[in-house]
Amino acid sequence: MMSHTQYPDAYVEYLYHFHTTRDYFECHEILEEFWKNRELSYGHPVWVGLIQIAVSMYHHRRGNFGGAIKMLSRAIEILHENRACLQELGLDHDRMIEQLEHRLHVQQQQTPYSSMNLPLRDEDLQRCCERLAESRGRLWQQPSDLNNPYLINKHTLRDRSKVIETRDKKPRKIRDDRMK
């Protein structure tokens, strides 16, 4: 992968999907897996806040304003209190909070979705993300494809067979442990 060494690969992938494919569901999946595999001291609240932004955007695009508002409100609370962590991730804290508060107002007014870009302050990180998009035949900061049903409804259309298989194995293991 063509990531910037200062930042975790999962974060660069999150930024790529957030600004290029606009696959907010994938943003959530990538950072959640990364966050769950990290020590709590490694920016825990910021990862959760970034996940919540992606989930909010996913809900907003689908017209689920209640879910969008709930997620974005939580994200703003978390990120407002974590200026240093956001700046370490190459983001402009003040502009980000301002953008998120504006987006929250837009959601509260039930204004239809439009794409949003996170305010990167690290030019090297932005160039890295732009090169990653170009290498994958995408345009950095292209708007969301509102005619793509898979992108909009991914949570209901994705292949969940591995998730179901893993979930189905857990109860058996618990039962097997009880019988020992």
Side-chain angles (χ1 to χ4, degrees):
M1 174 176 323
M2 305 168 55
S3 91
H4 191 281
T5 56
Q6 180 179 346
Y7 303 101
D9 288 346
Y11 175 59
V12 174
E13 280 293 316
Y14 170 92
L15 293 173
Y16 164 78
H17 285 289
F18 195 96
H19 295 94
T20 306
T21 66
R22 304 295 178 171
D23 188 340
Y24 303 121
F25 192 90
E26 190 65 19
C27 290
H28 163 269
E29 295 290 296
I30 290 166
L31 269 194
E32 184 176 66
E33 182 179 339
F34 173 76
W35 164 63
K36 284 183 176 180
N37 292 319
R38 308 279 10 118
E39 294 178 25
L40 291 180
S41 62
Y42 188 67
H44 168 271
V46 171
W47 299 127
V48 173
L50 292 172
I51 291 166
Q52 289 174 333
I53 292 169
V55 173
S56 176
M57 297 298 288
Y58 184 79
H59 285 311
H60 188 182
R61 186 170 52 202
R62 297 187 75 247
N64 176 358
F65 292 102
I69 291 165
K70 181 178 178 180
M71 285 291 104
L72 196 55
S73 296
R74 289 180 181 169
I76 291 169
E77 282 180 36
I78 290 170
L79 298 176
H80 186 66
E81 297 172 4
N82 287 278
R83 172 185 293 273
C85 289
L86 279 180
Q87 293 188 187
E88 286 174 20
L89 290 173
L91 293 163
D92 183 321
H93 175 271
D94 294 338
R95 283 184 45 222
M96 184 138 169
I97 296 301
E98 184 179 302
Q99 270 185 245
L100 296 177
E101 287 174 346
H102 174 74
R103 178 59 58 143
L104 181 61
H105 176 74
V106 163
Q107 292 172 349
Q108 291 167 336
Q109 300 302 310
Q110 298 194 359
T111 303
Y113 165 88
S114 62
S115 298
M116 177 181 90
N117 299 313
L118 301 178
L120 296 178
R121 67 180 188 91
D122 181 338
E123 292 175 11
D124 289 339
L125 176 60
Q126 177 146 342
R127 279 192 295 275
C128 172
C129 292
E130 289 169 352
R131 284 191 305 271
L132 180 60
E134 184 180 339
S135 76
R136 295 179 181 178
R138 297 284 191 157
L139 294 175
W140 176 250
Q141 297 186 348
Q142 66 189 26
S144 184
D145 179 0
L146 299 177
N147 295 314
N148 181 341
Y150 185 71
L151 189 63
I152 295 170
N153 298 302
K154 190 170 184 177
H155 74 289
T156 61
L157 301 175
R158 75 191 190 284
D159 178 11
R160 298 194 67 234
S161 56
K162 289 184 182 180
V163 173
I164 293 168
E165 181 182 326
T166 302
R167 185 184 63 208
D168 287 348
K169 285 181 182 178
K170 281 188 178 186
R172 268 190 235 119
K173 183 180 179 337
I174 292 169
R175 273 184 296 211
D176 291 347
D177 288 346
R178 286 183 194 157
M179 298 183 98
K180 290 181 181 178

